[in-house]
Amino acid sequence: MQNPLEARNAFPALGLPTRAVRQLGADPVVHGRADELAALRAALEDSGVAMLSGPPGTGKTTLALRLAHSAADLFPDGQLYADLSERTMDEVLAAFIRALTHDGIGLWASPRAQLHEVLGTRRVLFVLDNVSKRHDLAVFRSVIATSRERLGGVVLGPMSPEDSRVLLRARLGSRVDDEPEAVRAFAQACHGLPLALVVAAEFAGLRATATLAALVEEIPAERGDVHDAFSWAYQQLSAADARVFRLLGDGFEREFSITALNALAGGDVRQSRNQLLRLHLLENAPGDRISMHSLLREYARTLEPRDPSALGRLLDHYVRVAGVETENAMAAVFVADDRRRLALASLLVDEMSVQVQTAAVSAARALEDRHAEAVALAHLGHAWFDRGNLQEALKCHSRALELHREPRALTGLANLCLERGKVDEAVDLFKEVLAGRVASGDAAGEARALLSLGRATGEIRYYEQALDVCERIGDVVRLGRAYNGMGNVHQRARAFPEAIRCYSAALESFVDGDCLLNMGLAHLAISSPETLSWFGRAADHAVRLRDKELLADAARALKEAGFVEEAARRMQQAESLYLAADHGLRR
């Protein structure tokens, strides 16, 4: 695959068209929202990012498209649109690249870098629907984004009574003029929420001969709660569909699969799902998943009869699929009973979540399970260590060891010793862990302990032993780390050809940024002409992963090697990543 450095030089020769793309569709009609539009326009012109958030059904997409049309003259080179609920960000970036060039263009490994190159100095506006916190918008210089999540920017609330009336008139025509008092009561019952107003208007459209005043009685407000705006839809459901709707009140996920819904219901409920989608009681989500408006879910919880076993079935489902349903499994931790909470937390160790493992510790204590508490404390200690909070990590590992000689806690304590320069203590602890893993037949744990000992002692024999174990169990990631560790030992001994052979073997097993950088340093030490290429690969890998620390290290290595211009370019890329991360946090 051509790397971005090579592609950059070849890019002008492609003869790419500079066509202006228009993907906004028709200019939508917006009922009111003048203040919100003004704030969004100011944000777009000031920072290049106009973020629009709020609950589903508040008209975010309509307002975003209206803003885009009003600002289109500022972006003569194109206005592009994508819905991130339908595609991944990389798929969207690839579509944008093709739209701005041609359908047959070759795509780089880093679509972000390629889009940046394609844009050049063009003035293009991007409109992104259904952005979430996991989406990085730094590649877009000018973007209007909507989100169901609270990502800052302008937050849409209820519509004013005047705007509500305009919306209802657009849907119901002269019936609104005929019953002005009923219209006010109708809008009030919907609490100005556009979704509720639209759904209620559709219901009124089905009851074409009924008066609006009569329909208001079917959507009565209770304690001013907008949930009652949806009661009419529930009354239209069959008994089977109504049961599924009620069960959804026991769910907790933002988005979920049909298998999760089947688990909740205890059977195949795809037909009910389709009916609820049709009535706007469910929404489509990425990956053929489903979401439910939080207000609808709250309303569903008020309905009877309930199914006491439903939540347990759903939690058991997430215990089974925690490895692939990580986000929902983490959410499940906080609604689960103590035993399921422990089971879920043990499957989510790699997420390094302080909150999840804190919940696991509490669950173990409630169950008076000392061994489980020691394990959970060790996991919590590793999570704190990952966050750089060494004091909390030490507390957790020490408390875990008071309860049980837990290998995970010994490993955590050893890492703390290494961090503080107490190498001999760390080595003793790692050796104790290794002995325990061997005695229990835990080959994966044995490999981890051997790698830790190699890192702590700098002795190649531990890496060689780790190689044997990893080859036996087929652990390619740790196999690569073992070869990389061996290369480090050879490099410190200035045995550079041996180091390069080890790094090559590591990269054949698993591509790692640090190993790419080490390979560059080894080639630099022998004045190899391949030095620039390896540092470039390390930098490209860092850009793809948005690893700003690795990218900065590669830039410094390039400077040390005398590649000053390339070092400056890479450091500029690293600074952009730092600034983008800082902007994301502040936003």
Side-chain angles (χ1 to χ4, degrees), residues 293-314:
H293 191 290
S294 59
L295 295 178
L296 282 168
R297 178 160 270 166
E298 290 176 12
Y299 169 66
R301 293 191 191 108
T302 69
L303 301 171
E304 297 292 343
R306 310 305 305 161
D307 181 348
S309 61
L311 181 59
R313 291 194 299 265
L314 184 60

Side-chain angles (χ1 to χ4, degrees), residues 52-342:
L52 182 60
S53 61
T58 49
K60 298 184 296 297
T61 301
T62 299
L63 200 61
L65 291 172
R66 174 78 279 276
L67 172 64
H69 278 280
S70 72
D73 59 323
L74 300 177
F75 304 96
D77 298 316
Q79 306 96 41
L80 282 74
Y81 171 86
D83 186 346
L84 285 166
S85 70
E86 299 173 352
R87 291 178 286 179
T88 67
M89 178 63 87
D90 282 352
E91 290 171 340
V92 165
L93 293 177
F96 285 161
I97 290 165
R98 294 189 182 102
L100 290 167
T101 57
H102 60 82
D103 291 341
I105 188 172
L107 295 176
W108 295 358
S110 172
R112 288 166 175 77
Q114 189 174 11
L115 179 61
H116 177 78
E117 194 78 13
V118 167
L119 286 174
T121 60
R122 297 193 212 182
R123 289 179 291 169
V124 177
L125 176 64
F126 296 90
V127 181
L128 297 177
D129 226 348
N130 292 306
V131 167
S132 75
K133 62 183 179 183
R134 67 179 180 275
H135 293 127
D136 181 7
L137 304 183
V139 68
F140 305 107
R141 289 196 295 270
S142 300
V143 59
I144 301 170
T146 77
S147 178
R148 296 181 180 183
E149 302 177 17
R150 294 188 178 273
L151 300 183
V154 173
V155 179
L156 290 187
M159 299 180 72
S160 68
E162 294 76 17
D163 291 343
S164 297
R165 184 181 185 282
V166 172
L167 188 155
L168 287 171
R169 195 189 190 291
R171 297 275 178 164
L172 299 176
S174 61
R175 293 172 72 184
V176 170
D177 298 325
D178 295 339
E179 299 182 69
E181 292 299 323
V183 167
R184 277 193 288 272
F186 205 81
Q188 186 177 5
C190 295
H191 286 243
L193 185 69
L195 174 61
L197 287 162
V198 169
V199 172
E202 290 177 352
F203 167 60
L206 294 174
R207 302 279 296 279
T209 60
T211 65
L212 295 181
L215 297 181
V216 169
E217 297 178 0
E218 298 188 31
I219 51 170
E222 179 181 355
R223 299 186 305 276
D225 197 333
V226 73
H227 296 166
D228 287 338
F230 303 110
S231 62
W232 66 267
Y234 176 72
Q235 299 300 328
Q236 314 305 313
L237 299 175
S238 68
D241 296 341
R243 174 181 176 268
V244 174
F245 182 80
R246 291 193 306 273
L247 287 171
L248 282 162
D250 294 317
F252 47 82
E253 321 94 312
R254 185 173 65 246
E255 296 168 357
F256 50 94
S257 64
I258 184 58
T259 54
L261 183 55
N262 287 342
L264 182 69
D268 187 346
V269 291
R270 285 175 292 182
Q271 289 188 344
S272 291
R273 172 203 57 186
N274 294 341
Q275 177 66 359
L276 295 175
L277 282 168
R278 189 180 72 80
L279 292 175
H280 305 285
L281 298 176
L282 286 177
E283 298 294 336
N284 288 304
D288 194 27
R289 293 163 75 82
I290 318 160
S291 65
M292 189 177 197
H293 191 290
S294 59
L295 295 178
L296 282 168
R297 178 160 270 166
E298 290 176 12
Y299 169 66
R301 293 191 191 108
T302 69
L303 301 171
E304 297 292 343
R306 310 305 305 161
D307 181 348
S309 61
L311 181 59
R313 291 194 299 265
L314 184 60
L315 292 170
D316 288 339
H317 166 75
Y318 283 117
V319 170
R320 292 191 296 271
V321 300
V324 293
E325 287 276 8
T326 303
E327 183 178 347
N328 286 338
M330 290 179 71
V333 168
F334 302 101
V335 297
D337 59 276
D338 290 327
R339 293 195 181 280
R340 289 186 176 99
R341 182 171 296 155
L342 278 176

Side-chain angles (χ1 to χ4, degrees), residues 281-576:
L281 298 176
L282 286 177
E283 298 294 336
N284 288 304
D288 194 27
R289 293 163 75 82
I290 318 160
S291 65
M292 189 177 197
H293 191 290
S294 59
L295 295 178
L296 282 168
R297 178 160 270 166
E298 290 176 12
Y299 169 66
R301 293 191 191 108
T302 69
L303 301 171
E304 297 292 343
R306 310 305 305 161
D307 181 348
S309 61
L311 181 59
R313 291 194 299 265
L314 184 60
L315 292 170
D316 288 339
H317 166 75
Y318 283 117
V319 170
R320 292 191 296 271
V321 300
V324 293
E325 287 276 8
T326 303
E327 183 178 347
N328 286 338
M330 290 179 71
V333 168
F334 302 101
V335 297
D337 59 276
D338 290 327
R339 293 195 181 280
R340 289 186 176 99
R341 182 171 296 155
L342 278 176
L344 286 162
S346 69
L347 296 167
L348 296 167
V349 175
D350 290 343
E351 299 306 310
M352 292 295 178
S353 169
V354 167
Q355 293 79 11
V356 166
Q357 299 307 330
T358 297
V361 171
S362 297
R365 287 174 179 165
L367 294 169
E368 299 182 349
D369 187 333
R370 290 170 62 85
H371 180 257
E373 183 181 351
V375 172
L377 280 165
H379 292 160
L380 180 57
H382 286 292
W384 280 121
F385 185 88
D386 187 65
R387 291 192 178 191
N389 193 326
L390 305 187
Q391 184 176 2
E392 287 298 325
L394 178 59
K395 289 180 182 178
C396 291
H397 292 311
S398 299
R399 175 58 181 154
L401 291 173
E402 290 174 5
L403 296 168
H404 188 270
R405 202 69 178 167
E406 170 55 43
R408 299 169 185 84
L410 292 169
T411 300
L413 201 58
N415 287 330
L416 286 167
C417 288
L418 277 184
E419 190 74 15
R420 293 170 176 174
K422 300 178 179 180
V423 177
D424 291 342
E425 293 181 33
V427 170
D428 288 342
L429 288 166
F430 284 137
K431 286 182 176 179
E432 182 179 349
V433 173
L434 176 61
R437 296 302 191 191
V438 171
S440 66
D442 181 358
E446 180 184 353
R448 292 194 300 270
L450 287 166
L451 289 174
S452 296
L453 278 166
R455 177 167 52 91
T457 64
E459 296 181 21
I460 202 166
R461 63 191 178 100
Y462 290 116
Y463 291 119
E464 291 172 340
Q465 293 174 42
L467 279 179
D468 292 339
V469 176
C470 291
E471 287 176 345
R472 187 173 76 246
I473 64 176
D475 189 336
V476 295
V477 174
R478 291 188 176 85
L479 184 67
R481 290 174 182 168
Y483 275 120
N484 186 48
M486 293 171 64
N488 290 340
V489 174
H490 287 306
Q491 187 145 330
R492 284 194 294 271
R494 304 190 64 78
F496 299 114
E498 291 83 355
I500 288 173
R501 281 194 288 272
C502 287
Y503 294 143
S504 296
L507 293 170
E508 288 176 7
S509 177
F510 180 76
V511 177
D512 177 79
D514 288 331
C515 190
L516 290 167
L517 191 59
N518 289 338
M519 181 72 95
L521 292 170
H523 279 276
L524 175 62
I526 60 174
S527 302
S528 166
E530 297 182 40
T531 300
L532 175 60
S533 173
W534 283 108
F535 284 151
R537 287 180 62 182
D540 291 340
H541 185 77
V543 170
R544 284 192 293 273
L545 298 182
R546 303 194 65 79
D547 187 336
K548 44 193 179 294
E549 287 81 10
L550 175 62
L551 186 54
D553 288 342
R556 284 187 284 268
L558 283 162
K559 183 178 180 180
E560 181 181 342
F563 304 108
V564 179
E565 291 185 4
E566 180 63 9
R569 186 174 78 86
R570 293 302 191 174
M571 188 57 76
Q572 187 176 20
Q573 286 181 317
E575 290 172 355
S576 297

